[in-house]
Amino acid sequence: MSRINTNTMENALSNVLSDARLSKRKHAESVELHVNLKNYDPSKDKRFAGRIVLPNIAKPRMSICIIADIVHYERVKKSGLDVGLANIEDLKKLNKNKKLVKKFFASADVFLCSSTLIKTIPRCIGPHLGRVGKFPTSISYDENLADRIAEAKSTVRFQLKKVLCLGVVVGHTEMDAASLKANTVRAINFLVSLLKKRWLNIKSLYVKSTFGKPIRLM
């Protein structure tokens, strides 16, 4: 964070939050971090990808579906967790049909799957799962389901593709400023750690709410 002035960061995030609250929208807006890179050639340089769990939940409205075996199915039912539920029979009913597979995986933002079933997923879905880009994350019996759901809602992913612009959600407009700052700092530092020349690859950084104007950090 040495390249970003602390006051600049705090003022920018404060403005994002205050502007969003003045708009009085029915639902909280996401707060996004937008990055423009430089001195990178996606056609030649190695493309990076990485995930980081932020200190605070960034996407509270993220929809999650658990593909559960009988043990996890009963646990979710008893817990009252606000998640979708599916079992292996539901996947078999898709019959490896491309349209049905796509529709099923469009029903949630993130999928978790019992570790006992994770290896059977490709056999049930067929070759279409890779194209969907939502391969389920394994969960074991030892893990707390509520914690794993919170972790999923706090995780962001940076991936360099064909363009030098990146954007991730680092929070929402109902967060307090300190929590939003902690998330933003963690996300920026993680991104910098992925870059071959660290801060020298950062051209500019902006924060904005979903419907707000971008505010430059550097």
Side-chain angles (χ1 to χ4, degrees), residues 139-188:
I139 50 174
S140 68
Y141 296 149
D142 296 331
E143 295 177 287
N144 182 287
L145 289 175
D147 289 345
R148 285 302 305 273
I149 290 168
E151 179 182 299
K153 293 182 177 183
S154 305
T155 300
V156 297
R157 183 171 189 255
F158 289 100
Q159 182 178 16
L160 179 65
K161 295 185 178 180
K162 295 181 180 181
V163 296
L164 297 180
C165 303
L166 303 170
V168 296
V169 173
V170 293
H172 55 90
T173 54
E174 291 182 349
M175 297 178 78
D176 61 82
S179 297
L180 182 56
K181 179 184 176 183
N183 278 10
T184 305
V185 170
R186 178 73 64 84
I188 292 172

Short mmCIF file of all heavy atoms in Angstrom, two decimals, residues 139-188:
data_model
loop_
_atom_site.label_atom_id
_atom_site.label_comp_id
_atom_site.label_asym_id
_atom_site.label_seq_id
_atom_site.Cartn_x
_atom_site.Cartn_y
_atom_site.Cartn_z
N ILE A 139 -16.25 -29.61 -0.13
CA ILE A 139 -16.41 -29.38 1.30
C ILE A 139 -16.44 -30.73 2.02
O ILE A 139 -17.04 -31.69 1.53
CB ILE A 139 -17.69 -28.59 1.63
CG1 ILE A 139 -18.92 -29.19 0.93
CG2 ILE A 139 -17.54 -27.13 1.27
CD1 ILE A 139 -20.22 -28.55 1.33
N SER A 140 -15.78 -30.80 3.17
CA SER A 140 -15.71 -32.05 3.93
C SER A 140 -16.65 -32.00 5.12
O SER A 140 -17.20 -30.95 5.47
CB SER A 140 -14.28 -32.30 4.40
OG SER A 140 -13.92 -31.34 5.39
N TYR A 141 -16.80 -33.14 5.79
CA TYR A 141 -17.67 -33.20 6.96
C TYR A 141 -17.10 -32.41 8.14
O TYR A 141 -17.85 -31.99 9.02
CB TYR A 141 -17.87 -34.66 7.40
CG TYR A 141 -18.59 -35.52 6.38
CD1 TYR A 141 -18.31 -36.88 6.28
CD2 TYR A 141 -19.54 -34.98 5.53
CE1 TYR A 141 -18.97 -37.68 5.36
CE2 TYR A 141 -20.20 -35.77 4.59
CZ TYR A 141 -19.91 -37.12 4.52
OH TYR A 141 -20.56 -37.90 3.60
N ASP A 142 -15.79 -32.23 8.17
CA ASP A 142 -15.15 -31.53 9.29
C ASP A 142 -15.36 -30.02 9.22
O ASP A 142 -15.15 -29.32 10.21
CB ASP A 142 -13.64 -31.82 9.32
CG ASP A 142 -13.35 -33.29 9.57
OD1 ASP A 142 -14.19 -33.93 10.24
OD2 ASP A 142 -12.30 -33.78 9.11
N GLU A 143 -15.73 -29.51 8.06
CA GLU A 143 -15.83 -28.07 7.88
C GLU A 143 -17.20 -27.54 8.30
O GLU A 143 -18.22 -28.20 8.13
CB GLU A 143 -15.56 -27.70 6.42
CG GLU A 143 -14.15 -27.99 5.97
CD GLU A 143 -13.94 -27.67 4.51
OE1 GLU A 143 -14.45 -28.44 3.67
OE2 GLU A 143 -13.29 -26.66 4.21
N ASN A 144 -17.18 -26.32 8.84
CA ASN A 144 -18.42 -25.64 9.22
C ASN A 144 -19.05 -25.03 7.97
O ASN A 144 -18.41 -24.22 7.29
CB ASN A 144 -18.11 -24.57 10.27
CG ASN A 144 -19.35 -23.86 10.75
OD1 ASN A 144 -19.95 -23.05 10.03
ND2 ASN A 144 -19.74 -24.15 11.98
N LEU A 145 -20.27 -25.41 7.66
CA LEU A 145 -20.89 -24.95 6.42
C LEU A 145 -21.09 -23.44 6.40
O LEU A 145 -20.88 -22.79 5.37
CB LEU A 145 -22.24 -25.66 6.23
CG LEU A 145 -22.18 -27.14 5.88
CD1 LEU A 145 -23.59 -27.73 5.84
CD2 LEU A 145 -21.49 -27.36 4.54
N ALA A 146 -21.49 -22.87 7.53
CA ALA A 146 -21.70 -21.42 7.59
C ALA A 146 -20.39 -20.68 7.32
O ALA A 146 -20.37 -19.66 6.62
CB ALA A 146 -22.26 -21.02 8.94
N ASP A 147 -19.28 -21.22 7.84
CA ASP A 147 -17.98 -20.59 7.61
C ASP A 147 -17.58 -20.68 6.14
O ASP A 147 -17.02 -19.72 5.58
CB ASP A 147 -16.90 -21.25 8.48
CG ASP A 147 -17.06 -20.92 9.96
OD1 ASP A 147 -17.81 -19.97 10.28
OD2 ASP A 147 -16.45 -21.62 10.79
N ARG A 148 -17.84 -21.82 5.51
CA ARG A 148 -17.48 -21.97 4.11
C ARG A 148 -18.31 -21.06 3.21
O ARG A 148 -17.82 -20.53 2.21
CB ARG A 148 -17.66 -23.43 3.66
CG ARG A 148 -16.58 -24.38 4.15
CD ARG A 148 -15.18 -23.96 3.72
NE ARG A 148 -15.08 -23.79 2.29
CZ ARG A 148 -14.79 -24.78 1.44
NH1 ARG A 148 -14.58 -26.01 1.90
NH2 ARG A 148 -14.70 -24.54 0.15
N ILE A 149 -19.57 -20.87 3.58
CA ILE A 149 -20.42 -19.96 2.81
C ILE A 149 -19.93 -18.53 2.96
O ILE A 149 -19.84 -17.77 1.98
CB ILE A 149 -21.88 -20.10 3.27
CG1 ILE A 149 -22.43 -21.47 2.84
CG2 ILE A 149 -22.75 -18.98 2.71
CD1 ILE A 149 -23.74 -21.84 3.48
N ALA A 150 -19.57 -18.14 4.20
CA ALA A 150 -19.03 -16.80 4.43
C ALA A 150 -17.73 -16.61 3.66
O ALA A 150 -17.46 -15.54 3.11
CB ALA A 150 -18.81 -16.58 5.92
N GLU A 151 -16.91 -17.66 3.62
CA GLU A 151 -15.63 -17.58 2.88
C GLU A 151 -15.88 -17.37 1.40
O GLU A 151 -15.20 -16.56 0.75
CB GLU A 151 -14.85 -18.88 3.10
CG GLU A 151 -13.51 -18.92 2.36
CD GLU A 151 -12.79 -20.23 2.57
OE1 GLU A 151 -12.47 -20.54 3.74
OE2 GLU A 151 -12.56 -20.96 1.57
N ALA A 152 -16.86 -18.07 0.85
CA ALA A 152 -17.18 -17.91 -0.57
C ALA A 152 -17.62 -16.48 -0.86
O ALA A 152 -17.27 -15.91 -1.90
CB ALA A 152 -18.28 -18.90 -0.97
N LYS A 153 -18.38 -15.89 0.05
CA LYS A 153 -18.87 -14.53 -0.15
C LYS A 153 -17.79 -13.48 0.09
O LYS A 153 -17.99 -12.30 -0.20
CB LYS A 153 -20.07 -14.27 0.77
CG LYS A 153 -21.29 -15.11 0.42
CD LYS A 153 -22.48 -14.80 1.32
CE LYS A 153 -23.72 -15.59 0.90
NZ LYS A 153 -24.90 -15.26 1.73
N SER A 154 -16.66 -13.92 0.62
CA SER A 154 -15.54 -13.01 0.89
C SER A 154 -14.38 -13.18 -0.09
O SER A 154 -13.37 -12.50 0.02
CB SER A 154 -15.02 -13.24 2.32
OG SER A 154 -16.04 -13.13 3.28
N THR A 155 -14.53 -14.09 -1.03
CA THR A 155 -13.43 -14.43 -1.95
C THR A 155 -13.54 -13.65 -3.26
O THR A 155 -14.62 -13.54 -3.83
CB THR A 155 -13.45 -15.94 -2.26
OG1 THR A 155 -13.29 -16.67 -1.04
CG2 THR A 155 -12.32 -16.31 -3.21
N VAL A 156 -12.40 -13.11 -3.69
CA VAL A 156 -12.35 -12.45 -5.00
C VAL A 156 -11.26 -13.11 -5.83
O VAL A 156 -10.30 -13.67 -5.31
CB VAL A 156 -12.08 -10.93 -4.88
CG1 VAL A 156 -13.20 -10.25 -4.14
CG2 VAL A 156 -10.74 -10.66 -4.19
N ARG A 157 -11.43 -13.01 -7.14
CA ARG A 157 -10.49 -13.65 -8.06
C ARG A 157 -9.97 -12.64 -9.08
O ARG A 157 -10.75 -11.93 -9.71
CB ARG A 157 -11.16 -14.80 -8.79
CG ARG A 157 -10.24 -15.59 -9.73
CD ARG A 157 -10.96 -16.84 -10.21
NE ARG A 157 -10.08 -17.73 -10.94
CZ ARG A 157 -10.07 -17.88 -12.26
NH1 ARG A 157 -10.92 -17.17 -13.00
NH2 ARG A 157 -9.24 -18.71 -12.84
N PHE A 158 -8.67 -12.58 -9.20
CA PHE A 158 -8.03 -11.78 -10.24
C PHE A 158 -7.54 -12.70 -11.33
O PHE A 158 -6.89 -13.72 -11.05
CB PHE A 158 -6.83 -11.00 -9.68
CG PHE A 158 -7.20 -9.88 -8.75
CD1 PHE A 158 -7.13 -10.04 -7.38
CD2 PHE A 158 -7.60 -8.64 -9.26
CE1 PHE A 158 -7.45 -9.00 -6.52
CE2 PHE A 158 -7.93 -7.60 -8.40
CZ PHE A 158 -7.86 -7.78 -7.03
N GLN A 159 -7.84 -12.35 -12.58
CA GLN A 159 -7.35 -13.15 -13.71
C GLN A 159 -7.07 -12.26 -14.90
O GLN A 159 -7.94 -11.51 -15.33
CB GLN A 159 -8.36 -14.23 -14.09
CG GLN A 159 -7.87 -15.12 -15.24
CD GLN A 159 -8.87 -16.22 -15.57
OE1 GLN A 159 -10.02 -16.17 -15.16
NE2 GLN A 159 -8.43 -17.23 -16.30
N LEU A 160 -5.86 -12.32 -15.40
CA LEU A 160 -5.49 -11.56 -16.59
C LEU A 160 -5.91 -12.35 -17.82
O LEU A 160 -5.52 -13.50 -17.99
CB LEU A 160 -3.98 -11.30 -16.63
CG LEU A 160 -3.48 -10.54 -17.86
CD1 LEU A 160 -4.05 -9.13 -17.89
CD2 LEU A 160 -1.96 -10.51 -17.90
N LYS A 161 -6.70 -11.71 -18.68
CA LYS A 161 -7.12 -12.36 -19.92
C LYS A 161 -6.49 -11.62 -21.10
O LYS A 161 -5.28 -11.45 -21.14
CB LYS A 161 -8.64 -12.40 -19.99
CG LYS A 161 -9.25 -13.28 -18.89
CD LYS A 161 -10.75 -13.40 -19.02
CE LYS A 161 -11.32 -14.33 -17.95
NZ LYS A 161 -12.78 -14.49 -18.04
N LYS A 162 -7.29 -11.15 -22.02
CA LYS A 162 -6.74 -10.53 -23.23
C LYS A 162 -6.60 -9.01 -23.12
O LYS A 162 -6.00 -8.39 -23.98
CB LYS A 162 -7.61 -10.88 -24.44
CG LYS A 162 -7.60 -12.36 -24.78
CD LYS A 162 -8.47 -12.64 -26.01
CE LYS A 162 -8.46 -14.12 -26.36
NZ LYS A 162 -9.29 -14.40 -27.56
N VAL A 163 -7.20 -8.44 -22.08
CA VAL A 163 -7.14 -6.98 -21.92
C VAL A 163 -6.45 -6.63 -20.61
O VAL A 163 -6.35 -7.47 -19.71
CB VAL A 163 -8.55 -6.35 -21.96
CG1 VAL A 163 -9.20 -6.57 -23.32
CG2 VAL A 163 -9.44 -6.95 -20.86
N LEU A 164 -5.99 -5.38 -20.51
CA LEU A 164 -5.22 -4.96 -19.34
C LEU A 164 -6.09 -4.25 -18.30
O LEU A 164 -5.59 -3.42 -17.54
CB LEU A 164 -4.07 -4.04 -19.78
CG LEU A 164 -3.04 -4.69 -20.70
CD1 LEU A 164 -1.96 -3.70 -21.08
CD2 LEU A 164 -2.42 -5.91 -20.02
N CYS A 165 -7.36 -4.60 -18.26
CA CYS A 165 -8.29 -4.02 -17.29
C CYS A 165 -8.86 -5.15 -16.42
O CYS A 165 -9.27 -6.18 -16.95
CB CYS A 165 -9.43 -3.28 -17.98
SG CYS A 165 -8.90 -1.98 -19.09
N LEU A 166 -8.87 -4.94 -15.12
CA LEU A 166 -9.41 -5.92 -14.19
C LEU A 166 -10.41 -5.24 -13.28
O LEU A 166 -10.28 -4.06 -12.97
CB LEU A 166 -8.30 -6.53 -13.34
CG LEU A 166 -7.13 -7.21 -14.06
CD1 LEU A 166 -6.03 -7.54 -13.07
CD2 LEU A 166 -7.62 -8.48 -14.74
N GLY A 167 -11.39 -5.99 -12.82
CA GLY A 167 -12.36 -5.45 -11.89
C GLY A 167 -12.86 -6.53 -10.96
O GLY A 167 -13.16 -7.65 -11.40
N VAL A 168 -12.92 -6.23 -9.66
CA VAL A 168 -13.45 -7.18 -8.68
C VAL A 168 -14.31 -6.43 -7.68
O VAL A 168 -14.13 -5.23 -7.46
CB VAL A 168 -12.33 -7.94 -7.92
CG1 VAL A 168 -11.51 -8.81 -8.85
CG2 VAL A 168 -11.44 -6.98 -7.16
N VAL A 169 -15.23 -7.15 -7.07
CA VAL A 169 -16.05 -6.58 -5.99
C VAL A 169 -15.30 -6.74 -4.68
O VAL A 169 -14.89 -7.85 -4.31
CB VAL A 169 -17.42 -7.30 -5.91
CG1 VAL A 169 -18.19 -6.85 -4.68
CG2 VAL A 169 -18.23 -7.05 -7.17
N VAL A 170 -15.10 -5.63 -3.97
CA VAL A 170 -14.37 -5.68 -2.70
C VAL A 170 -15.27 -5.40 -1.50
O VAL A 170 -14.82 -5.46 -0.35
CB VAL A 170 -13.18 -4.69 -2.69
CG1 VAL A 170 -12.11 -5.14 -3.68
CG2 VAL A 170 -13.64 -3.27 -2.99
N GLY A 171 -16.53 -5.07 -1.76
CA GLY A 171 -17.42 -4.79 -0.64
C GLY A 171 -18.78 -4.33 -1.13
O GLY A 171 -19.14 -4.51 -2.29
N HIS A 172 -19.52 -3.72 -0.22
CA HIS A 172 -20.86 -3.21 -0.56
C HIS A 172 -21.12 -1.95 0.25
O HIS A 172 -20.40 -1.64 1.22
CB HIS A 172 -21.93 -4.27 -0.28
CG HIS A 172 -21.90 -4.81 1.13
ND1 HIS A 172 -22.63 -4.25 2.15
CD2 HIS A 172 -21.21 -5.84 1.69
CE1 HIS A 172 -22.41 -4.91 3.27
NE2 HIS A 172 -21.55 -5.89 3.02
N THR A 173 -22.15 -1.22 -0.14
CA THR A 173 -22.36 0.11 0.42
C THR A 173 -23.00 0.12 1.81
O THR A 173 -23.21 1.18 2.39
CB THR A 173 -23.21 0.97 -0.53
OG1 THR A 173 -24.43 0.26 -0.84
CG2 THR A 173 -22.45 1.25 -1.83
N GLU A 174 -23.29 -1.05 2.35
CA GLU A 174 -23.78 -1.11 3.73
C GLU A 174 -22.67 -1.43 4.72
O GLU A 174 -22.91 -1.55 5.92
CB GLU A 174 -24.92 -2.13 3.83
CG GLU A 174 -26.19 -1.69 3.11
CD GLU A 174 -27.33 -2.68 3.25
OE1 GLU A 174 -27.08 -3.81 3.73
OE2 GLU A 174 -28.46 -2.33 2.89
N MET A 175 -21.45 -1.57 4.22
CA MET A 175 -20.29 -1.81 5.08
C MET A 175 -19.87 -0.51 5.76
O MET A 175 -20.13 0.58 5.25
CB MET A 175 -19.11 -2.35 4.27
CG MET A 175 -19.33 -3.68 3.62
SD MET A 175 -17.88 -4.20 2.64
CE MET A 175 -16.80 -4.78 3.94
N ASP A 176 -19.17 -0.65 6.89
CA ASP A 176 -18.55 0.54 7.47
C ASP A 176 -17.24 0.81 6.74
O ASP A 176 -16.67 -0.08 6.09
CB ASP A 176 -18.31 0.35 8.97
CG ASP A 176 -17.38 -0.81 9.28
OD1 ASP A 176 -16.15 -0.63 9.19
OD2 ASP A 176 -17.88 -1.92 9.57
N ALA A 177 -16.76 2.02 6.84
CA ALA A 177 -15.58 2.44 6.08
C ALA A 177 -14.34 1.62 6.42
O ALA A 177 -13.54 1.30 5.54
CB ALA A 177 -15.32 3.93 6.31
N ALA A 178 -14.17 1.28 7.69
CA ALA A 178 -12.98 0.53 8.11
C ALA A 178 -12.95 -0.87 7.48
O ALA A 178 -11.90 -1.34 7.03
CB ALA A 178 -12.93 0.43 9.63
N SER A 179 -14.10 -1.53 7.45
CA SER A 179 -14.17 -2.87 6.86
C SER A 179 -13.93 -2.82 5.36
O SER A 179 -13.25 -3.68 4.79
CB SER A 179 -15.54 -3.50 7.15
OG SER A 179 -15.74 -3.67 8.53
N LEU A 180 -14.49 -1.80 4.72
CA LEU A 180 -14.30 -1.65 3.28
C LEU A 180 -12.83 -1.36 2.96
O LEU A 180 -12.28 -1.90 2.00
CB LEU A 180 -15.18 -0.53 2.74
CG LEU A 180 -15.12 -0.27 1.24
CD1 LEU A 180 -15.44 -1.54 0.46
CD2 LEU A 180 -16.08 0.84 0.85
N LYS A 181 -12.20 -0.54 3.79
CA LYS A 181 -10.78 -0.25 3.58
C LYS A 181 -9.94 -1.51 3.74
O LYS A 181 -9.03 -1.77 2.94
CB LYS A 181 -10.31 0.82 4.57
CG LYS A 181 -8.82 1.15 4.42
CD LYS A 181 -8.35 2.14 5.48
CE LYS A 181 -6.84 2.37 5.38
NZ LYS A 181 -6.35 3.28 6.45
N ALA A 182 -10.23 -2.30 4.77
CA ALA A 182 -9.47 -3.54 5.00
C ALA A 182 -9.58 -4.47 3.79
O ALA A 182 -8.58 -5.06 3.36
CB ALA A 182 -9.99 -4.24 6.26
N ASN A 183 -10.78 -4.60 3.24
CA ASN A 183 -10.96 -5.44 2.05
C ASN A 183 -10.21 -4.90 0.85
O ASN A 183 -9.56 -5.64 0.10
CB ASN A 183 -12.45 -5.54 1.70
CG ASN A 183 -13.19 -6.58 2.52
OD1 ASN A 183 -12.64 -7.12 3.48
ND2 ASN A 183 -14.42 -6.85 2.15
N THR A 184 -10.28 -3.58 0.66
CA THR A 184 -9.66 -2.96 -0.51
C THR A 184 -8.14 -3.09 -0.44
O THR A 184 -7.48 -3.42 -1.44
CB THR A 184 -10.06 -1.48 -0.61
OG1 THR A 184 -11.49 -1.38 -0.61
CG2 THR A 184 -9.52 -0.85 -1.87
N VAL A 185 -7.59 -2.84 0.72
CA VAL A 185 -6.13 -2.96 0.90
C VAL A 185 -5.68 -4.39 0.66
O VAL A 185 -4.68 -4.63 -0.04
CB VAL A 185 -5.73 -2.50 2.31
CG1 VAL A 185 -4.27 -2.83 2.59
CG2 VAL A 185 -5.95 -1.00 2.47
N ARG A 186 -6.40 -5.36 1.21
CA ARG A 186 -6.02 -6.76 1.02
C ARG A 186 -6.08 -7.14 -0.46
O ARG A 186 -5.18 -7.83 -0.97
CB ARG A 186 -6.97 -7.66 1.82
CG ARG A 186 -6.73 -9.17 1.69
CD ARG A 186 -5.49 -9.63 2.44
NE ARG A 186 -5.64 -9.43 3.85
CZ ARG A 186 -6.25 -10.28 4.69
NH1 ARG A 186 -6.78 -11.41 4.23
NH2 ARG A 186 -6.30 -10.03 5.97
N ALA A 187 -7.11 -6.70 -1.15
CA ALA A 187 -7.24 -7.03 -2.57
C ALA A 187 -6.12 -6.42 -3.40
O ALA A 187 -5.54 -7.09 -4.27
CB ALA A 187 -8.60 -6.56 -3.08
N ILE A 188 -5.80 -5.15 -3.14
CA ILE A 188 -4.75 -4.48 -3.91
C ILE A 188 -3.40 -5.13 -3.66
O ILE A 188 -2.65 -5.42 -4.61
CB ILE A 188 -4.69 -2.98 -3.55
CG1 ILE A 188 -5.95 -2.27 -4.05
CG2 ILE A 188 -3.45 -2.33 -4.15
CD1 ILE A 188 -6.08 -0.83 -3.59
#
